[in-house]
Amino acid sequence: MKVNRIDHVSINVNNLSEAKAFFLDIGLEVKAEWELEGDQLDRIVGLKNVRTRCVGLGMPDGHTWLELVKYYTPADESHPQLHSPNTLGIRHICFAVEDLEAIIAILKEKGIETFSEIEQYEDSYRLCYVRGPEGIILELAEKIV
């Protein structure tokens, strides 16, 4: 028995178009869009009367797959919690990027919150944490060569 790889990461959102635009801004591409509903989906996720819309995003090289999911039914009416990076649980996704300054400039121009300015970690990476729509936290890391 072995685990081969992470297949995808799924993020539930209320505003699918805003979340999609956020990930397009950092360089992901739309790979697929679809809607799902029905008894089989109900059984898979353990809910009743499920109806979703999904956007599959990936990197140009095809090695990353991220799914944004909007649950129309049953809807979660609560608001996202704006946790900090040290809150217990799954907290952020890290993307290896090129031209960190350019990406941060684009995101700041669109009103995206950064936790700090770009910081250098030892002689290996330049890093910045950002909070996207609905509290999504990303770490952006540029390798120093």
Side-chain angles (χ1 to χ4, degrees), residues 18-140:
E18 184 180 40
K20 175 180 163 182
F22 173 68
F23 285 100
L24 293 176
D25 285 341
I26 66 165
L28 276 73
E29 300 175 345
V30 174
K31 300 295 187 178
E33 296 189 53
W34 65 96
E35 293 187 6
L36 290 172
E37 62 183 304
D39 293 338
Q40 185 178 35
L41 181 59
D42 290 1
R43 289 190 304 274
I44 290 169
V45 300
L47 297 169
K48 299 278 188 215
N49 301 313
V50 177
R51 187 171 65 86
T52 65
R53 177 152 182 77
C54 306
V55 176
L57 299 162
M59 300 305 292
D61 67 8
H63 287 110
T64 302
W65 185 266
L66 181 74
E67 288 180 0
L68 301 176
V69 179
K70 164 67 176 162
Y71 277 82
Y72 291 104
T73 60
D76 181 356
E77 301 301 328
S78 63
H79 296 287
Q81 301 296 312
L82 298 182
H83 298 294
S84 59
N86 68 333
T87 303
L88 297 178
I90 296 173
R91 198 53 48 219
H92 74 272
I93 301 169
C94 181
F95 286 96
V97 302
E98 294 178 10
D99 201 353
L100 182 57
E101 286 93 358
I103 294 171
I104 294 299
I106 290 168
L107 295 177
K108 282 185 173 181
E109 187 177 287
K110 296 183 181 226
I112 298 298
E113 172 192 353
T114 60
F115 286 88
S116 68
E117 294 303 313
I118 297 170
E119 292 289 327
Q120 183 165 325
Y121 176 73
E122 298 178 347
D123 292 329
S124 56
Y125 285 94
R126 299 174 64 237
L127 307 168
C128 190
Y129 277 68
V130 301
R131 185 187 314 276
E134 303 189 44
I136 297 168
I137 297 174
L138 298 183
E139 178 184 5
L140 303 175

